[in-house]
Amino acid sequence: MKEKSKNIKFCFPVYDSISEDLTNITALYLRVSTDMQAQEGYGLDFQFDAIRKYVQAFNIPNPVIFVDDGYTGMNIDRPAFQEMNRLMNLGRVKFVITYSLDRIGRTQMIILKFLKEQCEKCHCDFFAVKDNIDSRSKQTYGILISILSIFAEFDHDAIVAKLSLGRQQRAMDGLWKGGGIAPVGYKYSKETNTLEVIPEDAIRVKKVFEMYNTNEYSPRLIAEALGFSSDVVVFNILKNRTYIGEITFRGEQYKGIHQRIIEDDVFFKAQDILQSRSVTRQCSNYLLSSIVYCGVCNAKMRYMKWGKGKNQQLKLLCYSKYGSSSPHMKLDPNCTNDIYDAHIVEEYVVQALLDFAVQYSDDIKKNNISVDEIATKLTEEYEKLDAQYQRVIKAYTVLGDEDLLKQAQEIQNNMRRLGREIETAKEKKEVSVSIEDRINLIRTLPDMWAEMTAKQRQNVVRELVEKVVITNGHIDIYLYKSKYNDLSFMKNDD
């Protein structure tokens, strides 16, 4: 959330203060972001005044204020907007009034999704005071929202362009961009308007370069030794020119006014090592290069040509036992893992991937159907509870029986639970569909595999496989969890 504007006193109740039994709500939605506060006509007080006049002139019932103060319209992560949507889903909001269309969102997708999906699904009317967009005027409504949504996005693009020019000027002046996360070893100070060194973290940054420049430690080992979350953090530190007193903007370097942490000779020695290791990795076309691990001691396994002449074979062996040129790769000199025929391991990995695609695609299709059915049944149950809730509330307004109010509250709690279950079911369906699409692509691999180059095959495997672990004859293949299910394949090669 950004910096808030001045406090405004409203003559209507605010959403977080209304009672649970209030229905037929007219939501008055206001939003302002820091980027827009200086622009005339977009302040909260101005928005509210225009909406208030309309509400009072037409005697609109049950007005409730929903205000997001200091939130961008580029996404829907806004507390008041989210609560308004929740109450719409519960059938409690029947009318939404806002100052202008771009208060709902700053992209065409957000605006159209709200108007064409949310409002229509919840049978909720919509009116934008400034734009005079009224969902009750069906003849011109569809055309207007499409045109004005595009204008809202164009307007945002103009703002982004202006902000981009401002960030470039900051870089030219040697200043940090003023937002986001500062590099490890620094903190951004609003008082001095620049980066300030954090002494204890700067020591760790220096240690990263010191260890890496010995050529004895990989980024992974450095991360473990210095307590960083992953080797990615170490890579980012090694490549970041902020540490030599520079500011980077869109690939261009500018002299910064902040204090450097690393000297030029140390930094550029690290770049030379990064480059040399990168070239070495790119030269290896072995299918499983750098992703095979020993399951006994957790060290990496390496390809090695074994034997001479016609009897020469390609083997996979543990670095702990056969890594004399790379002592930092040895984790356990007494490792008992075996030596494996590389071609047999490679053939197994490829076949396992292809089998996975065929085997699980049909199961996932079945899961999609079941998830869809579950969502439908939950929605039907939700609608029944909603109708029951409306009847109980109506009876309470007539009879005033407190037991009816308790019953309504219980129904509403069940509706909230069902609402969460429906959203979960929809999310599962989207994930399942995404997985199915990827697997259908993989199913074409048997026909394409013979035509691929060694590097193309390697790229396919690395896209799918996080690591291969070999433990005394067992082969475990771990797929990337973010891309597919949490599955592994196991083979006993005794």
Side-chain angles (χ1 to χ4, degrees):
M1 192 180 86
K2 300 178 181 178
E3 182 182 356
K4 290 188 176 182
S5 60
K6 62 182 180 181
N7 293 326
I8 305 295
K9 291 185 178 180
F10 303 109
C11 58
F12 302 132
V14 180
Y15 72 94
D16 56 3
S17 64
I18 62 174
S19 62
E20 290 289 338
D21 58 350
L22 181 62
T23 58
N24 197 29
I25 294 170
T26 297
L28 313 182
Y29 183 72
L30 317 174
R31 182 185 65 79
V32 67
S33 66
T34 302
D35 297 332
M36 298 296 299
Q37 285 170 3
Q39 298 190 20
E40 184 178 357
Y42 279 95
L44 290 179
D45 51 353
F46 191 94
Q47 293 179 48
F48 175 67
D49 188 57
I51 295 173
R52 176 188 58 79
K53 290 177 181 177
Y54 177 82
V55 169
Q56 293 177 342
F58 291 92
N59 197 26
I60 305 296
N62 299 331
V64 176
I65 300 292
F66 291 78
V67 58
D68 281 317
D69 187 358
Y71 286 86
T72 178
M74 285 302 295
N75 58 58
I76 61 174
D77 297 330
R78 299 169 250 154
F81 188 77
Q82 292 288 350
E83 179 63 10
M84 181 174 70
N85 278 268
R86 187 184 75 83
L87 295 179
M88 290 172 70
N89 291 332
L90 293 175
R92 294 176 60 187
V93 173
K94 295 300 182 184
F95 194 8
V96 174
I97 303 175
T98 189
Y99 174 67
S100 61
L101 197 62
D102 58 11
R103 298 302 86 203
I104 295 298
R106 299 294 291 178
T107 70
Q108 183 177 6
M109 181 183 68
I110 292 176
I111 296 172
L112 293 182
K113 187 176 180 67
F114 179 77
L115 296 178
K116 298 298 293 179
E117 294 183 19
Q118 182 68 359
C119 288
E120 290 187 6
K121 178 189 73 174
C122 300
H123 306 290
C124 184
D125 290 323
F126 175 85
F127 180 66
V129 177
K130 176 191 172 187
D131 304 323
N132 196 27
I133 296 179
D134 193 338
S135 64
R136 297 164 296 184
S137 301
K138 302 297 182 183
Q139 187 173 4
T140 59
Y141 180 61
I143 299 174
L144 282 172
I145 61 173
S146 296
I147 294 174
L148 290 174
S149 295
I150 294 172
F151 285 163
E153 190 163 4
F154 283 165
D155 187 30
H156 175 266
D157 289 343
I159 294 172
V160 170
K162 292 178 182 178
L163 292 174
S164 180
L165 288 174
R167 287 194 292 268
Q168 183 177 21
Q169 186 59 53
R170 285 185 63 88
M172 294 174 66
D173 292 339
L175 299 172
W176 178 250
K177 59 186 177 181
I181 301 175
V184 177
Y186 290 103
K187 64 179 179 180
Y188 176 70
S189 171
K190 291 183 178 180
E191 289 72 22
T192 62
N193 200 28
T194 188
L195 294 173
E196 295 181 352
V197 174
I198 303 174
E200 58 271 24
D201 288 344
I203 293 174
R204 295 173 73 201
V205 171
K206 291 179 180 179
K207 194 65 177 177
V208 167
F209 282 90
E210 179 185 330
M211 294 177 69
Y212 191 73
N213 285 354
T214 64
N215 232 333
E216 296 181 358
Y217 298 92
S218 67
R220 180 177 64 84
L221 292 176
I222 294 173
E224 293 176 356
L226 299 181
F228 292 110
S229 58
S230 71
D231 58 349
V232 175
V233 178
V234 174
F235 271 118
N236 290 339
I237 290 174
L238 291 169
K239 297 176 182 179
N240 197 332
R241 299 178 72 94
T242 305
Y243 297 117
I244 57 174
E246 295 181 353
I247 297 292
T248 303
F249 181 77
R250 292 188 175 178
E252 296 292 331
Q253 310 299 327
Y254 303 92
K255 182 175 176 56
I257 65 172
H258 62 279
Q259 178 183 342
R260 66 161 63 221
I261 293 177
I262 302 298
E263 295 301 319
D264 285 354
D265 57 338
V266 175
F267 180 83
F268 289 110
K269 180 179 180 180
Q271 307 317 298
D272 291 340
I273 297 174
L274 284 168
Q275 179 64 25
S276 64
R277 291 187 177 181
S278 175
V279 170
T280 301
R281 287 195 300 271
Q282 291 173 359
C283 290
S284 175
N285 283 332
Y286 293 133
L287 185 68
L288 306 178
S289 178
S290 80
I291 64 171
V292 186
Y293 290 82
C294 172
V296 176
C297 70
N298 296 323
K300 277 194 173 184
M301 300 189 74
R302 61 182 296 191
Y303 280 85
M304 180 179 285
K305 292 180 180 179
W306 198 267
K308 295 182 179 180
K310 294 182 180 180
N311 296 324
Q312 189 177 76
Q313 294 179 318
L314 195 61
K315 299 288 186 178
L316 278 167
L317 359 90
C318 176
Y319 260 108
S320 288
K321 296 175 66 176
Y322 302 93
S324 57
S325 61
S326 304
H328 64 282
M329 300 292 286
K330 294 184 177 182
L331 299 185
D332 181 4
N334 299 316
C335 179
T336 59
N337 212 350
D338 296 327
I339 299 172
Y340 302 95
D341 188 310
H343 294 298
I344 292 178
V345 176
E346 290 179 353
E347 287 175 4
Y348 174 75
V349 171
V350 172
Q351 192 57 51
L353 288 176
L354 300 179
D355 290 345
F356 162 74
V358 176
Q359 175 184 353
Y360 285 92
S361 60
D362 292 337
D363 291 341
I364 288 172
K365 288 179 181 178
K366 294 177 183 179
N367 289 338
N368 284 343
I369 295 173
S370 63
V371 168
D372 195 28
E373 289 176 348
I374 291 172
T376 301
K377 291 179 180 178
L378 289 173
T379 302
E380 291 174 354
E381 186 176 350
Y382 183 92
E383 291 173 350
K384 290 179 182 178
L385 284 175
D386 185 34
Q388 183 181 355
Y389 176 80
Q390 298 298 336
R391 289 195 298 270
V392 172
I393 288 296
K394 187 175 181 180
Y396 172 74
T397 57
V398 175
L399 302 175
D401 189 340
E402 293 298 324
D403 289 338
L404 289 173
L405 193 59
K406 293 179 181 178
Q407 183 180 348
Q409 183 64 52
E410 184 177 346
I411 295 172
Q412 193 173 58
N413 291 337
N414 289 332
M415 290 172 66
R416 289 172 179 168
R417 174 183 56 78
L418 277 176
R420 291 191 295 269
E421 291 180 6
I422 291 171
E423 290 303 316
T424 300
K426 290 179 179 178
E427 290 174 2
K428 286 182 178 179
K429 180 182 176 182
E430 291 175 359
V431 170
S432 297
V433 170
S434 177
I435 294 173
E436 179 190 356
D437 289 343
R438 295 188 182 102
I439 291 176
N440 286 337
L441 290 176
I442 302 173
R443 293 184 69 174
T444 64
L445 282 180
D447 298 328
M448 299 170 56
W449 191 261
E451 306 299 325
M452 290 182 179
T453 65
K455 178 56 70 175
Q456 288 172 332
R457 293 177 179 179
Q458 185 188 65
N459 290 340
V460 169
V461 171
R462 290 190 178 187
E463 175 68 18
L464 305 176
V465 180
E466 180 180 11
K467 63 181 177 179
V468 177
V469 180
I470 308 178
T471 312
N472 295 328
H474 294 274
I475 303 176
D476 297 345
I477 305 173
Y478 295 91
L479 305 182
Y480 279 110
K481 297 179 182 179
S482 59
K483 297 179 181 178
Y484 299 98
N485 294 333
D486 183 11
L487 299 172
S488 65
F489 300 91
M490 302 186 69
K491 178 180 179 181
N492 190 329
D493 286 338
D494 291 341

